[in-house]
Amino acid sequence: MTTTLSLTHISKKYHRKPVLTDVSLQANTGDIIGISGTNGSGKTTLLKTILGFTIPDSGQIIVLNHPLSARQHFATNTGFALKDCGPLPNYSGLANLQLMAQLLKMTDMTHLPELLDLVGLTATNTTKVKHYSLGMYQRLCLAMSLVNDPQLVIWDEPENALDEAGLRQLQALLARLAEMGTTTILTSHNPTLLAHHVTRRVHLEAGRLLELPHSPGGHPWLRFGKCSYY
């Protein structure tokens, strides 16, 4: 088992108010770590700190054996979907994935249609994103986070706006990523997702992180069955 992410004594204040206080967390290959917490508890700040969008006041972040400052390696091996992932509104879903792949200097894009299929969208749908429903928009954000076949995935409330079918696809996608050895860290307010579809659960309260006892009944892919890789 390989350590994908290591946070050591991370602290962050905004206007002298503590947002993260002495947060430490280690994530290994195949982990699905669910982060719960009330609104304003620091969940999104923690994710942005892991991604390098927010600079901590103290502590150390190591991603895939590289300090956070090694941005090129970090960006190449990490995917994320935050509250607004930013797909271009005048392009289709597939075109957005292709543009993302180009930005990442990828030459092989043959897997992109399958990514759309995994989240319940289709490559043949030429509808522009500006005409998407909120659920379709969220599905595209999840697909965009996986364009580069990342080793670490960061999702902020990935269940937002998803219908029942979308939630099932999200659960199956989590299982697939874990089976492939991808590490997934997500925030959520969905009790079912946190109870049954993560391998570890932590809770943020007033900026402090607490690991919760958790027994999901075995790895999630045992419930969903094997999936082919893209």
Side-chain angles (χ1 to χ4, degrees), residues 26-102:
Q26 179 173 303
N28 300 318
T29 53
D31 276 348
I32 307 171
I33 299 180
I35 304 174
S36 59
T38 58
N39 293 335
S41 61
K43 300 188 302 299
T44 299
T45 297
L46 177 59
L47 297 189
K48 289 183 176 180
T49 302
I50 294 171
L51 290 166
F53 299 151
T54 297
I55 306 301
D57 298 325
S58 60
Q60 183 181 50
I61 302 174
I62 297 176
V63 179
L64 301 169
N65 296 318
H66 290 257
L68 185 59
S69 57
R71 295 300 297 273
Q72 184 174 357
H73 181 92
F74 180 71
T76 302
N77 292 281
T78 304
F80 63 90
L82 301 181
K83 292 293 176 60
D84 186 356
C85 67
L88 297 177
N90 289 315
Y91 289 79
S92 68
L94 180 60
N96 268 280
L97 296 191
Q98 291 168 337
L99 287 169
M100 176 70 74
Q102 290 171 11

Side-chain angles (χ1 to χ4, degrees), residues 144-208:
M144 289 175 67
S145 72
L146 302 176
V147 163
N148 57 337
D149 191 16
Q151 294 174 263
L152 173 65
V153 172
I154 306 291
W155 286 341
D156 195 4
E157 298 182 19
E159 75 278 8
N160 275 356
L162 295 182
D163 57 17
E164 187 174 338
L167 286 172
R168 288 196 299 269
Q169 287 165 327
L170 171 62
Q171 292 158 6
L173 183 55
L174 283 168
R176 178 187 180 122
L177 292 173
E179 186 181 13
M180 294 170 63
T182 304
T183 302
T184 304
I185 299 177
L186 61 90
T187 65
S188 179
H189 292 288
N190 186 296
T192 300
L193 190 68
L194 290 171
H196 301 294
H197 301 286
V198 302
T199 57
R200 291 171 55 197
R201 184 173 175 182
V202 296
H203 184 76
L204 259 177
E205 187 66 37
R208 293 187 178 275

